[in-house]
């Protein structure tokens, strides 16, 4: 029997053709959709770039107007008018520049310094009045020019064919009358020499830069040696002044693989806004303020002879207290204001708040609790606290101030010495809450022999000025705890006219885990026993710092107006005499023994006692794309 298959064959061909057409249309549709998605993605990238570029351009224009003779120069600003001046600058110089740009929908600036966000230009940006702006609740806005602003830029896609794509770029900036050195993790106005492998988190500054794989250190017999190490690591940018030769040299260092290979090298940028400080002028101004608050006006004539005369005129021109002194020893039942002519020794005080006004030297040797008021002396002040806690308000001395703390000493106010200041903490923790002014050298040290680990510590919440050399060694420095004791909120800002030496901090101590675990910042785990120094250090001279035998870890910054040299290696160092046995390759992926992690919180505190400057500084903070 014969069967006609031609009808079935035609049906098969038609079905096959339909399937192929459907698949083809699906492929074409998918291709078109993919192209559309790619186009939208490209548009997304383009408008994000426009927003980021606008944020940087606005910041640059703002920096320019902060300079002397410009629209926002510091002499024209007050705490009452700074916001209106900034708003006027935006209205006249910023908004017109972006009104004609298709991809910029809106620009505004928001003050987040206080307890609530304030849009300085009105609520014309759709996201400018949202409640998610972080505010800083600064409590000195009525007396200081520091302000925290958010520059907000909303972008848009002008082409409806590419989809509705919008982005919001938010850049936070801080305007503050602070010295430029406080903007940097590490820096030098002259030569910054990085030997070995320090780790720096934040921006650094250098007029000129040198990099070496050899870290220098000293043996116990004072012989100089070198230790091979990986190159330095920097998580931030490298800034320099406008000098073509230096700029090109730094760019060549970046491109010649002279930085730590496991992270991206820094970008080279220029800081044309850098402002130096006037150390002597600020020192005398701050000392005068402290002395005047105690009834010792100096009329800006700061000298040892004048302070002795001022003390005698203000406090010692009438009756003394001879009955309270026998054989040069003060009666422990003394109370109130004690005025003494001649040198005295105090071995104990039964009453709290005794003021010691002495035309001579003051020697305190204590083995019982004491709560002393002010100590004001035309001579030297020497304190040895052998046992129990001692608290003191102000110390003013025409001569030296020497403190040896075998038990805690709590300095609640200021120290002013027209000679040297030395503070030694031995097997104890002391606290300095006020500011310190040394007319000559400053020495802060602990016990060099701590067989069971470093247990000498001073907690600071102060600004320190030293007109001579500054040396800190053999102890830990941390911030003073908050009142509830939950965290170390205190800051130390130390400014030295002479050479700065920081050495033997956490000597031969180790990280519990020397392996780098935090891939973004390469910092020690918070659980580590090594306490970072909560501080900013500055010297008008040169500084040399070590992280070889020492373990140097600062939350803050270090800056030198002269040359700054840093020597550092990575990993554990058991014995300084055998230190150079570990190769650079074996140090990679291990934590550095010299770490400076930038802490911008100091920009928002202690402003009243910081050096005066000629212009506000702009400090860039975080930038967010939403």
């Amino acid at each position: 029997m014969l069967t006609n298959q031609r009808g079935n064959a035609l049906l098969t061909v038609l079905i096959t053709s339909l399937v192929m057409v459907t698949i083809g249309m699906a492929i074409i549709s998918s291709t078109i959709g993919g192209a559309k998605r790619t186009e939208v993605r490209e548009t997304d990238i383009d408008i994000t770039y426009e927003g980021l570029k606008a944020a940087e351009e606005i910041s640059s224009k703002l920096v320019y107007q902060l300079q002397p003779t410009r629209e926002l120069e510091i002499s024209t600003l007050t705490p009452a008018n700074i916001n209106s001046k900034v708003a006027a600058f935006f209205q006249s110089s910023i908004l017109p520049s972006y009104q004609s740009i298709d991809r910029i929908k809106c620009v505004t600036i928001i003050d987040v310094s206080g307890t609530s966000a304030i849009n300085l230009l009105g609520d014309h940006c759709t996201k400018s009045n949202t409640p998610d702006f972080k505010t800083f609740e600064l409590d000195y806005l009525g007396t200081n020019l520091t302000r925290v602003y958010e520059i907000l830029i909303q972008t848009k896609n002008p082409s409806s064919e590419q989809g509705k794509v919008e982005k919001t770029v938010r850049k936070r900036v801080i305007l503050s009358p602070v010295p430029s050195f406080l903007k940097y993790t590490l820096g030098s106005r002259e030569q910054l020499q990085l030997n070995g492998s320090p780790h720096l988190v934040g921006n650094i500054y250098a007029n000129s830069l040198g990099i070496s794989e050899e870290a220098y250190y000293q043996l116990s017999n004072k012989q100089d040696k070198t230790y091979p190490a990986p190159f330095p690591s920097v998580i931030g940018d490298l800034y320099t002044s406008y000098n073509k030769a230096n700029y090109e040299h730094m760019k060549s260092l970046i491109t010649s693989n002279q930085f730590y290979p496991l992270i991206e090298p820094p970008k080279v940028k220029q800081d044309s806004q850098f402002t130096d400080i006037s150390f002597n002028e600020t020192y005398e101004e701050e000392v005068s303020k402290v002395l005047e608050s105690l009834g010792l006006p100096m009329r800006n004539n700061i000298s040892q002879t004048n302070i002795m005369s001022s003390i005698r005129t203000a406090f010692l021109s009438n009756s003394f207290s001879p009955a309270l002194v026998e054989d040069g020893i003060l009666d422990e039942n003394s109370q109130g204001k004690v005025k003494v002519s001649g040198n005295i020794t105090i071995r104990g005080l039964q009453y709290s708040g005794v003021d010691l006004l002495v035309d001579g030297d003051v020697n305190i040797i204590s083995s019982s609790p004491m709560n002393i008021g002010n100590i004001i002396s035309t001579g030297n002040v020497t304190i040895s606290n052998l046992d129990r806690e001692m608290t003191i308000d102000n110390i003013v001395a025409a001569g030296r101030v020497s403190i040896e703390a075998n038990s805690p000493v709590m300095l609640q106010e200021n120290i002013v010495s027209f000679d040297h200041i030395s503070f030694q903490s031995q097997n104890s923790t002391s606290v300095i809450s006020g500011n310190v002014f040394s007319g000559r050298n400053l020495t802060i040290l602990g016990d060099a022999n701590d067989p069971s680990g470093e247990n000498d510590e001073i907690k600071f919440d102060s600004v320190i000025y030293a007109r001579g050399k500054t040396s800190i060694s053999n102890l830990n420095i941390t911030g003073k705890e908050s009142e509830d004791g939950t965290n170390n909120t205190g800051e130390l800002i130390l400014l030295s006219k002479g050479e700065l030496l920081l050495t033997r901090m956490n000597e031969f101590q180790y990280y519990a885990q020397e392996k780098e675990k935090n891939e973004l910042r390469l910092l020690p785990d918070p659980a580590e026993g090594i306490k970072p120094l909560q501080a900013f250090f500055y010297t008008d001279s040169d500084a040399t710092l070590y992280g070889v035998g020492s373990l140097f870890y600062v939350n803050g910054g270090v800056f030198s107006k002269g040359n700054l040299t840093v020597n550092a290696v990575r990993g554990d160092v058991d014995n300084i005499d055998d230190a150079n046995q570990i190769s650079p390759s074996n140090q990679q992926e291990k934590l550095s023994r010299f770490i400076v992690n930038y802490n911008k919180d100091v920009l928002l505190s202690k402003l009243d006692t910081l050096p005066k400057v000629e212009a506000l500084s702009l400090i860039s903070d975080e930038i967010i794309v939403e």
Side-chain angles (χ1 to χ4, degrees), residues 17-149:
S17 299
L18 178 62
V19 170
M20 294 302 293
V21 169
T22 302
I23 293 173
M25 292 298 292
I27 292 172
I28 293 171
S29 176
S30 176
T31 302
I32 294 172
K36 179 66 74 175
R37 287 192 296 273
T38 300
E39 189 175 4
V40 171
R41 177 59 180 158
E42 289 175 352
T43 302
D44 191 340
I45 294 172
D46 288 343
I47 66 170
T48 299
Y49 170 76
E50 290 289 344
L52 293 171
K53 185 177 75 169
E56 295 304 318
E57 288 174 346
I58 293 170
S59 297
S60 296
K61 291 180 180 179
L62 193 52
V63 166
Y64 179 73
Q65 293 300 330
L66 296 176
Q67 301 308 302
T69 75
R70 303 297 176 189
E71 188 174 344
L72 297 174
E73 67 170 321
I74 195 169
S75 63
T76 67
L77 302 177
T78 67
N81 74 11
I82 184 171
N83 273 359
S84 61
K85 290 271 190 179
V86 171
F89 161 69
F90 264 73
Q91 292 281 9
S92 63
S93 304
I94 299 299
L95 297 187
S97 303
Y98 293 99
Q99 286 173 345
S100 60
I101 299 177
D102 290 341
R103 291 190 171 183
I104 301 297
K105 179 180 181 180
C106 181
V107 175
T108 193
I109 185 167
I110 298 165
D111 181 1
V112 293
S113 312
T115 56
S116 60
I118 303 171
N119 189 331
L120 302 189
L121 303 180
D123 296 331
H124 61 280
C125 283
T126 57
K127 293 189 178 182
S128 63
N129 56 356
T130 53
D132 61 342
F133 286 101
K134 175 187 175 182
T135 56
F136 288 79
E137 302 183 10
L138 304 183
D139 58 4
Y140 47 72
L141 298 179
T143 59
N144 196 277
L145 294 176
T146 294
R147 294 295 184 272
V148 185
Y149 294 120

Side-chain angles (χ1 to χ4, degrees), residues 262-279:
L262 302 185
I263 59 175
E264 289 291 324
K267 294 181 176 64
V268 181
K269 298 184 178 181
Q270 293 176 339
D271 183 358
S272 58
Q273 193 199 8
F274 196 98
T275 304
D276 284 316
I277 69 171
S278 176
F279 186 95

Side-chain angles (χ1 to χ4, degrees), residues 165-221:
V165 181
E166 293 189 357
K167 291 289 182 181
T168 299
V169 175
R170 291 165 44 178
K171 180 176 182 180
R172 185 186 302 151
V173 298
I174 302 169
L175 299 190
S176 186
V178 296
S180 292
F181 77 86
L182 285 173
K183 298 191 297 183
Y184 295 103
T185 302
L186 193 78
S188 167
R189 287 289 272 164
E190 298 296 336
Q191 170 81 6
L192 177 60
Q193 182 66 41
L194 302 178
N195 296 327
S197 197
H199 179 55
L200 311 170
V201 181
N203 298 328
I204 63 177
Y205 183 96
N207 188 47
S208 59
L209 178 66
I211 295 177
S212 169
E213 287 183 286
E214 300 289 331
Y216 288 82
Y217 66 101
Q218 272 192 348
L219 297 178
S220 51
N221 63 4

Side-chain angles (χ1 to χ4, degrees), residues 272-555:
S272 58
Q273 193 199 8
F274 196 98
T275 304
D276 284 316
I277 69 171
S278 176
F279 186 95
N280 288 335
E281 179 183 346
T282 305
Y283 176 88
E284 294 189 0
E285 183 178 333
E286 294 304 319
V287 168
S288 293
K289 287 198 300 188
V290 172
L291 296 178
E292 287 175 7
S293 71
L294 295 171
L296 293 167
M298 296 292 290
R299 299 181 180 86
N300 294 323
N301 191 1
I302 304 297
S303 70
Q304 195 171 47
T305 301
N306 287 339
I307 188 60
M308 293 171 70
S309 175
S310 184
I311 291 172
R312 289 173 180 139
T313 301
F315 298 128
L316 302 173
S317 57
N318 48 27
S319 61
F320 291 96
S321 309
L324 299 175
V325 180
E326 185 174 345
D327 295 329
I329 299 176
L330 185 68
D331 189 323
E332 66 178 18
N333 291 309
S334 300
Q335 52 185 306
K337 293 186 186 303
V338 176
K339 301 180 181 181
V340 178
S341 177
N343 302 335
I344 63 166
T345 298
I346 297 98
R347 298 188 181 277
L349 289 172
Q350 296 297 317
Y351 293 93
S352 297
V354 177
D355 288 332
L356 303 173
L357 312 174
V358 181
D359 192 1
D361 296 340
V362 177
N363 298 287
I364 301 176
I365 305 171
S366 175
S367 56
S368 60
M370 277 206 291
N371 184 342
I372 304 172
N374 296 325
I375 303 174
I376 298 178
S377 167
T378 60
N380 302 320
V381 173
T382 304
I383 298 170
S384 179
N385 190 32
L386 304 176
D387 195 15
R388 312 298 290 275
E389 184 175 292
M390 177 187 293
T391 63
I392 304 171
D393 289 343
N394 291 284
I395 300 177
V396 176
R400 299 185 306 274
V401 173
S402 304
I403 300 173
E404 182 180 329
N406 293 282
S407 285
V409 174
M410 310 296 172
L411 292 163
Q412 302 182 124
E413 300 293 340
N414 303 293
I415 304 177
V416 178
S417 168
F418 283 70
D419 206 311
H420 305 296
I421 292 179
S422 65
F423 194 118
Q424 183 171 16
S425 176
Q426 296 195 136
N427 306 314
S428 66
T429 297
S430 293
V431 177
I432 298 179
S433 300
N435 299 324
V436 179
F437 303 90
S438 177
R440 294 187 181 176
N441 297 339
L442 172 68
T443 303
I444 300 174
L445 70 161
D447 185 358
N449 299 307
D450 285 318
S452 59
E454 187 63 75
N455 62 352
D456 312 318
E457 184 173 11
I458 300 179
K459 298 182 178 183
F460 282 93
D461 189 16
S462 59
V463 177
I464 296 179
Y465 288 83
R467 297 186 92 165
K469 296 180 180 180
T470 299
S471 175
I472 301 178
S473 62
N474 296 110
L475 82 167
N476 293 328
I477 293 176
T478 57
K480 177 187 172 185
E481 287 103 341
S482 56
E483 291 185 3
D484 59 9
T486 56
N487 52 60
N488 292 6
T489 58
E491 296 281 352
L492 167 63
I493 302 176
L494 191 153
L495 303 102
S496 179
K497 179 70 175 176
E499 184 181 354
L500 175 65
L501 176 64
L502 305 177
T503 184
R504 301 184 71 178
M505 317 295 275
N506 296 302
E507 192 170 31
F508 300 123
Q509 291 196 32
Y510 314 121
Y511 300 113
Q513 297 291 332
E514 63 174 344
K515 191 82 170 175
E516 292 171 343
K517 293 188 296 183
N518 187 327
E519 295 180 359
L520 295 177
R521 299 170 71 82
L522 306 185
L523 293 173
D525 190 279
E528 291 284 353
I530 307 301
K531 296 182 179 180
L533 288 71
Q534 309 290 335
F536 269 83
F537 296 99
Y538 169 88
T539 174
D540 241 16
S541 183
D542 298 336
T544 303
L545 310 175
Y546 295 93
V548 182
S550 300
L551 199 161
F552 188 95
Y553 183 13
V554 167
N555 275 344

